[in-house]
Amino acid sequence: MLQKMIEIEGKVFGVKMLSRGAQECMGRTIQTVGRSLEAVIYRWEFLDGDEEDVLKELAQFQNPDGGFGHGLESDFQLPDSSPMATSVGLRILLLLPDGERRTDMMDRAFLYLEEAYDSDRGGWYIVPANVVDYPHAPWWGILEETGHTAMDASWGNPSAEILAQFLIAERNPESFDLHKQVLHAIHLLETKTHFKSEHELYCYLALYDALKGDLQTRLGETLAKGVQAVLVLDEEKWEEYVPMPLHFVHPSRKQDFGIRDEDVNRQLDWLAVKMEKCGGWSPPWGESFYQEGLKKSYHEWIGVLTLKALRWFRDFGRLAREE
């Protein structure tokens, strides 16, 4: 396996590079096993693809009310709009360059989110209750005692990320005070005594990246506590569905949340070996949840996760340019 030398705290280490062959194999996996959306995103980001192709594919998931649905979040096939699916749609749109079609899609998505905002909650519920009328993974079921999913117990998922998206897009909503809601979001995380949901922390990471100055510093201090509470550094457990270093660290992010460079590089080495062998990343939570109307979702996740892995190698400079 190809290696390059890096220096960490005065010591020189050899790290594994992802070979061209493995990169091409991962690209084939994304384009043939996953869905068309990840395929065009891959071609746009890594080859000579056109962002218009991404917009065309993504538009198929957007409803007349501006929100996104139709299985954009593969674990539930609800055709109706939901805040969760809309946050996923905006996540993709915010990666793309400015353009008339992109602006129109974003305008309509943000209008939907203003309509879906729940003033009593001070944020958004993940999905409407009729999610159970369509194929869905068991964790998207509605609890009889609350009328919402179990994930709604963690307020920040997806509310913290949605607030981040309003900030990044420089949108000034009419249905709520954006600055007040950001302060509310930070306060809710600060008052937690136990951090149980890594998904909520991922959403707060998006908010952290969207903030500046004192508010970013303030949120970063609490996020560091949460990250350290859930982070799994045991390499033997990384094949399971657990929060790992690369879920929290990025070269462009000022805060490392107490995660050491050596652990980031150790995970990249581990992932390089895995990708050289497999050429793709299958959902670690397994295929048993994907029966009947959800069978295609398992393969969609392979495309999503393989694209995520390839981005990590790119962002950390681990893509070999030649053999």
Side-chain angles (χ1 to χ4, degrees), residues 206-226:
L207 182 57
Y208 172 86
D209 289 338
L211 294 173
K212 298 177 181 178
D214 291 343
L215 282 181
Q216 186 184 60
T217 300
R218 176 180 163 188
L219 178 56
E221 291 174 355
T222 305
L223 260 178
K225 297 176 184 177

Side-chain angles (χ1 to χ4, degrees), residues 138-313:
W139 43 89
W140 287 102
I142 298 297
L143 301 176
E144 184 176 349
E145 58 269 28
T146 66
H148 300 286
T149 72
M151 288 173 284
D152 281 297
S154 300
W155 177 93
N157 181 18
S159 291
E161 182 171 7
I162 291 174
L163 292 175
Q165 291 168 336
F166 272 95
L167 289 171
I168 294 168
E170 298 181 337
R171 302 292 171 128
N172 187 25
E174 295 182 3
S175 61
F176 62 92
D177 185 319
L178 181 56
H179 179 69
K180 182 179 178 180
Q181 287 308 119
V182 168
L183 292 177
H184 176 63
I186 296 173
H187 173 72
L188 286 177
L189 193 67
E190 288 176 331
T191 55
K192 279 186 175 292
T193 56
H194 296 90
F195 298 93
K196 298 179 180 179
S197 170
E198 64 266 29
H199 295 284
E200 182 176 46
L201 295 178
Y202 300 154
C203 292
Y204 269 102
L205 272 178
L207 182 57
Y208 172 86
D209 289 338
L211 294 173
K212 298 177 181 178
D214 291 343
L215 282 181
Q216 186 184 60
T217 300
R218 176 180 163 188
L219 178 56
E221 291 174 355
T222 305
L223 260 178
K225 297 176 184 177
V227 170
Q228 287 300 314
V230 303
L231 182 65
V232 174
L233 295 175
D234 184 350
E235 189 170 322
E236 293 184 359
K237 295 182 179 180
W238 287 347
E239 289 288 357
E240 303 171 19
Y241 187 46
V242 295
M244 301 176 285
L246 288 171
H247 285 125
F248 301 105
V249 176
H250 189 274
S252 66
R253 190 169 288 139
K254 291 192 300 184
Q255 172 75 281
D256 60 16
F257 308 110
I259 299 173
R260 302 176 302 173
D261 287 343
E262 63 187 79
D263 289 321
V264 174
N265 284 302
R266 188 163 56 89
Q267 191 193 340
L268 284 165
D269 284 352
W270 169 83
L271 192 56
V273 172
K274 180 181 178 70
M275 293 300 102
E276 294 282 353
K277 180 180 178 181
C278 303
W281 195 354
S282 298
W285 53 90
E287 194 172 0
S288 61
F289 299 106
Y290 299 93
Q291 305 300 320
E292 299 178 358
L294 270 188
K295 281 188 175 181
K296 68 173 185 175
S297 298
Y298 182 78
H299 295 95
E300 291 177 358
W301 277 119
I302 293 174
V304 171
L305 294 175
T306 303
L307 178 60
K308 176 184 286 189
L310 197 56
R311 284 169 167 166
W312 281 339
F313 287 117

Side-chain angles (χ1 to χ4, degrees), residues 32-96:
T32 60
V33 178
R35 60 187 172 187
S36 298
L37 177 60
E38 278 67 43
V40 294
I41 293 173
Y42 163 74
R43 291 196 287 271
W44 173 65
E45 290 192 29
F46 292 92
L47 302 177
D48 56 354
D50 192 329
E51 65 267 18
E52 287 299 321
D53 292 334
V54 180
L55 290 168
K56 182 180 178 180
E57 283 294 330
L58 185 59
Q60 299 181 50
F61 297 89
Q62 191 167 27
N63 286 311
D65 64 5
F68 285 82
H70 303 282
L72 182 55
E73 175 70 15
S74 294
D75 277 352
F76 60 90
Q77 296 299 305
L78 174 71
D80 300 340
S81 299
S82 67
M84 171 58 75
T86 304
S87 72
V88 174
L90 281 169
R91 197 183 300 159
I92 297 169
L93 286 169
L94 288 168
L95 292 174
L96 298 169

Side-chain angles (χ1 to χ4, degrees), residues 1-4 15-27 46 268-277 279-280 306 309-314 317-323:
M1 180 172 290
L2 297 173
Q3 286 194 335
K4 77 171 182 179
V15 296
K16 295 178 175 65
M17 302 291 288
L18 187 71
S19 71
R20 289 291 301 170
Q23 294 172 45
E24 292 168 2
C25 188
M26 292 171 72
F46 292 92
L268 284 165
D269 284 352
W270 169 83
L271 192 56
V273 172
K274 180 181 178 70
M275 293 300 102
E276 294 282 353
K277 180 180 178 181
T306 303
L310 197 56
R311 284 169 167 166
W312 281 339
F313 287 117
R314 176 197 63 193
R318 293 289 202 95
L319 294 178
R321 298 304 174 188
E322 57 186 33
E323 299 297 348

